[in-house]
Amino acid sequence: PSHSLDYNRELDSLRGVAVLLVLLFHIYPNLFSFGYVGVDIFFVLSGYLITGIIISKIDSGTFSFLEFYRNRIRRILPAMLIVLLTSMIAGYIFLFPKELELFSKHLKSSFLFYQNITLINEAGYWDEESIKKPLLHFWSLSIEEQFYLFWPLILVIFAKINRSWTTKLVVL
């Protein structure tokens, strides 16, 4: 699919820094305790890029919800399904029935992109108990997908307001 934004090498560099921060945090948590900031960098970059794409297409009159969601599905669903299917097989082989019951709950909430909500009522992300949640990392993908679900609609509604995009986004 064609994209409405030009490729930006600097943003890829920033993504690389974010990946490195997250990896170092998980490998050496005591040494890189601030590495979780990489996830925040990804959220900001994603929001910036998606907002730019949507606004560009709205302004040119070519925005389509169908195309937008099709592109998100093509980008995320294949890898997500492989991870969930592999996890499901491993869980079936290695988990006890009681563990499999909790894992199934997390599998469902990961697949339907509400893992962040499921985890709110359970052990905290930093708790020792969290190490027993193989799909814990799906909290961030759930937030990203929830953003993709609502943000385009908000921007399309805002496009109807006769003000500059900067003013609209600052007010929001």
Side-chain angles (χ1 to χ4, degrees):
S2 65
H3 299 284
S4 53
L5 296 180
D6 292 333
Y7 174 73
N8 188 325
R9 236 180 29 207
E10 291 78 13
L11 294 183
D12 269 355
S13 300
L14 197 51
R15 282 185 187 144
V17 169
V19 167
L20 191 59
L21 284 171
V22 172
L23 284 174
L24 289 172
F25 170 73
H26 284 289
I27 296 169
Y28 306 107
N30 293 331
L31 195 57
F32 292 93
S33 59
F34 57 89
Y36 63 87
V37 171
V39 176
D40 297 341
I41 293 170
F42 273 113
F43 281 154
V44 170
L45 278 176
S46 183
Y48 170 77
L49 291 170
I50 290 298
T51 300
I53 289 169
I54 295 170
I55 287 175
S56 166
K57 289 194 176 254
I58 288 172
D59 287 347
S60 68
T62 60
F63 179 76
S64 159
F65 283 104
L66 182 63
E67 178 187 356
F68 177 78
Y69 291 119
R70 183 198 68 213
N71 290 344
R72 302 289 75 74
I73 289 167
R74 282 181 177 170
R75 186 176 70 81
I76 291 167
L77 202 60
M80 185 194 84
L81 289 176
I82 290 169
V83 169
L84 291 179
L85 184 61
T86 304
S87 299
M88 194 167 65
I89 293 167
Y92 182 77
I93 294 169
F94 295 111
L95 296 177
F96 293 112
K98 195 69 174 167
E99 294 170 323
L100 196 54
E101 188 178 315
L102 179 63
F103 177 73
S104 297
K105 175 179 149 185
H106 286 262
L107 193 65
K108 177 183 172 189
S109 63
S110 294
F111 180 74
L112 296 175
F113 302 116
Y114 66 92
Q115 177 71 326
N116 58 322
I117 296 167
T118 298
L119 292 168
I120 287 172
N121 297 320
E122 296 182 5
Y125 189 83
W126 309 107
D127 293 347
E128 190 71 30
E129 195 66 25
S130 293
I131 200 161
K132 298 177 183 174
K133 297 180 189 310
L135 300 175
L136 180 69
H137 60 283
F138 270 88
W139 71 267
S140 63
L141 185 60
S142 295
I143 290 172
E144 185 178 348
E145 293 310 307
Q146 292 159 15
F147 173 79
Y148 291 159
L149 187 61
F150 296 108
W151 190 237
L153 181 61
I154 291 169
L155 291 178
V156 166
I157 291 169
F158 265 49
K160 308 286 185 209
I161 300 170
N162 195 17
R163 297 271 184 241
S164 74
W165 278 108
T166 305
T167 303
K168 294 173 197 178
L169 294 175
V170 167
V171 168
L172 182 62

